[in-house]
Amino acid sequence: MSSEVAARRDAKKLVRSPSGLRMVPEHRAFGSPFGLEEPQWVPDKECPRCMQCDAKFDFLTRKHHCRRCGKCFCDKCCGQKVPLRRMCFVDPVRQCAECALVSHKEAEFYDKQLKVLLSGATFLVTFGDAEKPEAMVCRLSNNQRYLLLEGDSRYEIEIARISTVQILTEGFPPGGGNARATGMSLQYAAPGAEGMTQLRLTAGEDANASRRQSTAWLAAMHKATKLLYESRDQ
C-alpha cells in the first residue's frame, strides 16, 4: 500500500452536527466498521412528555435529546454527558441513563482493548486447508478497517468482510475459572473469491510475554467482534 493511499484512508475532518463536534473520516467509505451513525431525533411535537419518567415538558421542565438514541427526556433523565467514541464526538455528549451505561462500557474498549489490537501480537496463521502455518504478526490497522497479517508474506482482511469469529479455548484452570484462549478461527469474503475463506490464528506455546500478549489480543478481538455485530444490527 502506498503512503498516499494510507494517508487518504486515515484522513479526518472536523464537522459540526446538531449534537456537537465530530472528528470523522474525510471519506465516509473509510470510516471505522465499529462506528455508529447519529440517530434521527424524535421530533419535538411528538414528545410532549419525558419518554422515561413521563414528566410534562413546560417552561421549567425542558426537553433534551439523547445523542445516542435520539429520544426525548427531561434534564433529570438525560443529564449525563458521556464520551461517545463510536459516533466520533470530540467532547462528552448528553445521553439518557440507559445509553450512558452502554457508552461507559464501550469506553473501556477504546481506552484499553483498542490499543492492544493496534499493537498486535504474534500467531501461527493457517489459511484454508494449508498444511503448514506461518508465524505472523496480526494487528488492527490505524483506521480500524483492516486486519493486517505480516510475516514472510503480507495480507489485509477487511473487517467488514468477516462473517464469523470463534475464539478457540482449551481446558479449565485448577480451582475453576474461565477456559484459556488459545486462538481464533474466522471466515471472511475475500475480494474476487467465491465462497468464504477460512483463517485460523493459534497462539504460541511459550509462557513468556509473547504468549500473554497474544492472549490479551484475542480477548480484545472478542470484544471488537461484539461491537462489530452490534453495528451491523443497528
Side-chain angles (χ1 to χ4, degrees):
M1 183 200 313
S2 69
S3 59
E4 181 179 349
V5 172
R8 184 167 175 260
R9 282 183 178 181
D10 297 338
K12 294 185 177 182
K13 62 182 178 181
L14 189 65
V15 299
R16 181 180 295 278
S17 76
S19 300
L21 289 174
R22 301 172 66 214
M23 184 63 75
V24 301
E26 190 167 310
H27 301 277
R28 188 173 181 177
F30 296 143
S32 168
F34 306 118
L36 295 175
E37 295 292 332
E38 287 189 76
Q40 290 289 329
W41 284 9
V42 174
D44 288 350
K45 63 182 180 181
E46 294 182 11
C47 52
R49 294 178 177 275
C50 174
M51 300 179 76
Q52 176 64 40
C53 71
D54 204 38
K56 185 178 180 180
F57 295 126
D58 54 28
F59 181 74
L60 296 178
T61 305
R62 300 182 59 189
K63 66 182 63 175
H64 302 279
H65 286 84
C66 172
R67 272 49 176 174
R68 186 180 180 110
C69 68
K71 296 179 181 178
C72 284
F73 301 93
C74 66
D75 184 69
K76 182 179 179 181
C77 295
C78 192
Q80 298 186 64
K81 289 192 175 183
V82 179
L84 186 44
R85 301 274 289 277
R86 293 185 72 183
M87 291 185 189
C88 303
F89 284 109
V90 175
D91 301 309
V93 292
R94 188 183 294 272
Q95 298 179 55
C96 67
E98 182 177 350
C99 287
L101 182 61
V102 175
S103 294
H104 274 304
K105 291 180 179 179
E106 291 174 350
E108 180 182 357
F109 170 75
Y110 284 95
D111 293 337
K112 297 179 181 180
Q113 292 151 334
L114 183 58
K115 295 177 181 178
V116 173
L117 292 175
L118 293 172
S119 297
T122 301
F123 295 93
L124 296 176
V125 181
T126 304
F127 285 92
D129 297 327
E131 296 182 0
K132 185 177 180 181
E134 179 181 347
M136 307 183 83
V137 174
C138 185
R139 65 180 179 86
L140 190 67
S141 64
N142 290 334
N143 60 13
Q144 305 167 24
R145 291 187 56 82
Y146 297 89
L147 202 57
L148 307 178
L149 298 101
E150 299 172 316
D152 291 337
S153 51
R154 188 179 190 279
Y155 298 89
E156 286 188 359
I157 299 173
E158 191 171 359
I159 294 293
R161 289 180 172 269
I162 296 176
S163 60
T164 60
V165 175
Q166 179 183 6
I167 299 299
L168 307 176
T169 60
E170 68 176 19
F172 291 89
N178 296 324
R180 182 169 63 99
T182 60
M184 179 177 72
S185 175
L186 60 85
Q187 290 185 322
Y188 67 97
E194 294 185 4
M196 305 301 292
T197 299
Q198 184 84 21
L199 174 67
R200 184 185 180 98
L201 308 178
T202 305
E205 293 301 322
D206 55 287
N208 60 15
S210 177
R211 178 55 188 260
R212 292 194 297 272
Q213 185 178 13
S214 298
T215 301
W217 194 94
L218 290 170
M221 188 63 189
H222 182 57
K223 176 63 175 178
T225 301
K226 289 184 177 181
L227 293 182
L228 178 63
Y229 292 152
E230 288 172 9
S231 299
R232 292 173 176 175
D233 293 339
Q234 295 187 27

